[in-house]
Amino acid sequence: MTLHDYQLSQLDILESESVHIIREVAAELERPALLFSGGKDSIVMLRLAEKAFWPAPIPFPVMHVDTGHNFPEVLEFRDRRVAELGVSLVVASVQEAIDRGLVAEEPNGSRNRIQTPVLLDAAEKNRFTALFGGARRDEEKARAKERVFSFRDDFGQWDPKNQRPELWNLYNGRIHLGESIRVFPLSNWTELDVWQYIAREQIEVPSIYHAHEREVFERDGMLFAANEFCRPRDNEATFIEKVRYRTVGDATLTAAVKSDADTIEKIIEEVAATRLTERGATRGDDRVSEAAMEDRKKEGYF
């Protein structure tokens, strides 16, 4: 084969760009960490970080903002994967923050919004200057606005009208004391790219991503699992449905979708045919208002 014949696939190009970004952050910023929830995007991020530094270990910790309302399958996967890789895990606990008075429970029982002060507190305590996130531009319009290197002020806040230009693969990681950068190496990936990469790399994912039977109830046109954190109201009947999750989040706000996709190959077929993003289909927190995600990001959300 000649050099002229050598061509990279779409996944090779995305992988190469993401690895470059991860290495750039490790070189430019003093104390990075990777946000790891056990969801598909952060799982791919972890694989990319492995590749970026192989055969050396991943040179930074991972951090999970634990709302206390997580799916048990995901927590089991998180702990097992972190132990396999031998990376340090920092858990920022919303329950612990409630107990010490940093945040207060919201009347609706959701802990989604109060994650943000917990995240910012943990980042400050650990003096993290950069946080890798698994956000992609195809997920939601506020995420489509954000740069790969997203500057945050000394309050951890994002100003969408004051973003740094990014020319080709040139990133500006300059910060002053107290400021930080959020970094999104998967910005140019789609949900389909993520699943095709998981298939190509044969990466394990939590079982809730595969179709299975659950006791669910319908609320606002979405199917929520009945569990200790999310209970049906008097007018909401439960029933058994074969479902899977397209995204992993707080169990009080994350809905499932009807599905027969019990293998990665079937999930890829399903994602390729859908016309609704995973957040639009399954996240109750994004339906609060048109600008719900952008408002949370301005406050310091992921």
Side-chain angles (χ1 to χ4, degrees):
M1 184 176 71
T2 66
L3 183 61
H4 182 72
D5 298 326
Y6 181 71
Q7 290 185 333
L8 294 175
S9 69
Q10 167 75 0
L11 288 181
D12 290 333
I13 293 170
L14 290 171
E15 179 190 69
S16 176
E17 179 187 56
S18 299
V19 166
H20 165 72
I21 292 167
I22 292 170
R23 288 173 176 166
E24 188 75 10
V25 170
E28 281 193 51
L29 289 136
E30 188 177 356
R31 289 181 63 83
L34 190 151
L35 294 171
F36 182 63
S37 65
K40 64 185 185 303
D41 300 313
S42 59
I43 291 169
V44 167
M45 287 282 298
L46 210 50
R47 172 55 62 90
L48 293 167
E50 276 188 273
K51 288 198 170 188
F53 304 105
W54 183 264
I58 296 172
F60 41 74
V62 301
M63 182 166 80
H64 181 215
V65 180
D66 183 347
T67 66
H69 291 168
N70 300 289
F71 294 98
E73 303 96 319
V74 177
L75 290 183
E76 183 277 329
F77 178 88
R78 178 200 70 182
D79 293 341
R80 181 162 50 80
R81 188 70 185 117
V82 166
E84 288 170 355
L85 290 173
V87 294
S88 172
L89 171 65
V90 176
V91 177
S93 168
V94 173
Q95 182 60 57
E96 187 271 337
I98 292 172
D99 293 342
R100 63 186 168 93
L102 175 67
V103 293
E105 290 267 23
E106 298 207 329
N108 63 5
S110 168
R111 294 181 171 181
N112 192 48
R113 183 169 286 277
I114 61 176
Q115 288 182 82
T116 301
V118 179
L119 166 69
L120 297 179
D121 182 62
E124 182 180 359
K125 281 181 177 173
N126 289 279
R127 296 183 291 114
F128 292 139
T129 52
L131 291 174
F132 291 104
R136 309 184 321 269
R137 292 192 175 112
D138 74 324
E139 286 181 82
E140 205 275 341
K141 50 184 178 290
R143 288 188 163 172
K145 284 184 182 180
E146 201 160 10
R147 302 287 195 267
V148 174
F149 273 39
S150 184
F151 173 75
R152 303 301 174 103
D153 66 18
D154 48 2
F155 296 102
Q157 296 174 335
W158 175 59
D159 180 0
K161 294 181 180 177
N162 184 25
Q163 299 191 75
R164 294 173 175 177
E166 289 180 346
L167 302 177
W168 300 287
N169 61 350
L170 301 177
Y171 305 106
N172 184 354
R174 183 178 180 183
I175 56 171
H176 297 292
L177 185 64
E179 297 171 340
S180 61
I181 296 281
R182 304 288 174 82
V183 187
F184 304 107
L186 302 185
S187 289
N188 293 329
W189 295 54
T190 65
E191 183 185 12
L192 186 59
D193 293 327
V194 167
W195 281 112
Q196 289 176 331
Y197 191 74
I198 287 170
R200 189 185 85 169
E201 299 289 309
Q202 299 183 332
I203 304 172
E204 183 187 357
V205 295
S207 58
I208 66 170
Y209 278 118
H210 296 96
H212 55 283
E213 290 192 339
R214 271 190 188 252
E215 183 185 15
V216 298
F217 61 90
E218 187 170 344
R219 178 179 295 168
D220 299 329
M222 296 187 289
L223 294 177
F224 289 90
N227 54 49
E228 61 179 308
F229 310 120
C230 189
R231 302 303 306 167
R233 297 167 184 152
D234 292 341
N235 62 341
E236 295 172 334
T238 63
F239 53 95
I240 302 297
E241 186 65 80
K242 194 168 186 181
V243 298
R244 74 174 193 87
Y245 286 85
R246 288 180 66 185
T247 181
V248 165
D250 190 293
T252 62
L253 293 166
T254 306
V257 294
K258 288 184 184 178
S259 176
D260 290 317
D262 54 5
T263 66
I264 300 296
E265 290 71 24
K266 291 179 182 177
I267 292 173
I268 290 172
E269 290 177 14
E270 190 178 88
V271 171
T274 188
R275 292 294 177 266
L276 195 59
T277 71
E278 70 262 44
R279 293 199 71 93
T282 66
R283 295 299 291 264
D285 44 337
D286 289 342
R287 296 189 175 192
V288 176
S289 73
E290 278 288 309
M293 173 64 83
E294 183 162 326
D295 290 343
R296 290 200 302 275
K297 289 180 82 67
K298 287 178 183 175
E299 294 169 358
Y301 189 68
F302 306 112

